[in-house]
Amino acid sequence: MVEGEAQGDANLFPKQSGEVLRDARIAQGLEIADVAARTRIPQRHLEAIEASNYASLPSTTYAIGFAKAYARAVGVDEVTLGTQVRGELSMLPSREPATPIYEADEPSRTPPSGLVWGGALLALLILAGIGLWYGTGIFRGDSAPTAAEATAEPQAAPADTATVAVPTPAPTPAGGQVTLTATDEVWVRIYDAANNTLLIKTLAPGERYDVPMDANGPMINIGRPDKLDVTVNGSKVAPLGNGKVAIKDVPISAAALLARGAAPAEAGGSNTTAAP
């Protein structure tokens, strides 16, 4: 076959998104397990993406989000790849988005039901023992009061009683607990300053996520920031964006959010990326 004919066949039969990702992975000398470690996406989902078998993934949103994360891991343009995946998904029969089911990677680590019930029973016995110890004094050997002690009149308190000093409450430390609550179905990725993923999923309406207080410079990547309520220690702060553009690399530590104060709703991150 001549070179012109080969190029013509390539145009007639372009590579599917899964083939593009697989070829990029192989070109970098990576195993699919390496990509799974980089993205923290289950290997079975990555294998389905390489086979362009998106019907086996939990939902359309997951399919696009996982494919774009795969693209970033192997150096493929995630915007172009995401557009191609949307086109391929549009040719599949429509289906209702499935509720994601998270399975344990190693079922053998799940404790048996007998052990769970045994632990619950032990906890109840410990609580009962604590109640008897502090409530009755049976185990401490406390004796019952004598008749003289029981009938003795209480001593009058001295007229000049010293004033008890009330301790001053400790000041609230700067920072605090950051909580993200979805007002609609929205895909998010939370990661730290070292680009380690803390959370990547589609939040259901009303679902919340507490950002770890010890996270190193946590940041967010989200396509619809207007679908997310943000609070610090239960107090609502300015929204991350107005939803007209996606945001990326926006700090969401307590200190950063409190510094925003009464910032306008349009004050999202300056870096943008296409929403999945």
Side-chain angles (χ1 to χ4, degrees):
M1 179 183 293
V2 296
E3 181 179 356
E5 293 177 347
Q7 293 178 350
D9 291 343
N11 293 329
L12 288 174
F13 304 101
K15 290 182 178 180
Q16 290 189 310
S17 57
E19 294 177 292
V20 173
L21 294 173
R22 183 181 64 246
D23 291 347
R25 171 178 63 79
I26 294 174
Q28 294 189 22
L30 297 174
E31 297 292 336
I32 197 166
D34 300 326
V35 180
R38 288 186 180 184
T39 61
R40 298 188 181 183
I41 297 175
Q43 184 170 326
R44 64 181 184 278
H45 290 338
L46 297 177
E47 292 171 348
I49 291 172
E50 286 194 354
S52 296
N53 182 19
Y54 297 112
S56 65
L57 296 179
S59 68
T60 298
T61 303
Y62 268 83
I64 297 173
F66 286 170
K68 292 175 70 175
Y70 192 156
R72 288 193 298 270
V74 296
V76 175
D77 181 31
E78 63 179 281
V79 176
T80 302
L81 196 282
T83 302
Q84 183 177 355
V85 172
R86 286 190 182 92
E88 294 174 3
L89 288 171
S90 66
M91 301 177 67
L92 297 175
S94 61
R95 61 189 178 114
E96 294 294 329
T99 302
I101 299 175
Y102 297 95
E103 301 175 354
D105 291 337
E106 297 184 29
S108 60
R109 292 187 177 181
T110 304
S113 58
L115 182 59
V116 173
W117 284 107
L121 180 59
L122 179 60
L124 290 175
L125 291 175
I126 292 174
L127 291 175
I130 293 174
L132 290 174
W133 177 272
Y134 289 102
T136 64
I138 294 175
F139 300 109
R140 299 197 303 269
D142 295 347
S143 59
T146 62
E149 292 174 342
T151 58
E153 295 183 359
Q155 295 290 333
D160 188 10
T161 305
T163 303
V164 178
V166 178
T168 303
T172 303
Q177 178 61 63
V178 176
T179 301
L180 310 176
T181 305
T183 60
D184 198 350
E185 184 176 274
V186 60
W187 180 89
V188 298
R189 177 175 178 249
I190 312 297
Y191 47 97
D192 62 15
N195 201 30
N196 294 317
T197 299
L198 305 176
L199 174 74
I200 178 171
K201 68 175 293 188
T202 298
L203 296 176
E207 186 173 357
R208 55 180 282 177
Y209 172 71
D210 293 331
V211 179
M213 297 179 66
D214 58 352
N216 177 22
M219 293 180 284
I220 189 171
N221 177 4
I222 181 174
R224 291 296 305 273
D226 59 319
K227 302 296 184 183
L228 204 63
D229 284 342
V230 185
T231 61
V232 178
N233 291 329
S235 299
K236 194 170 183 179
V237 299
L240 299 176
N242 57 16
K244 295 181 180 179
V245 293
I247 62 173
K248 183 179 181 182
D249 298 337
V250 174
I252 55 171
S253 64
L257 293 174
L258 291 174
R260 293 164 57 90
E266 291 79 12
S270 59
N271 298 323
T272 63
T273 183

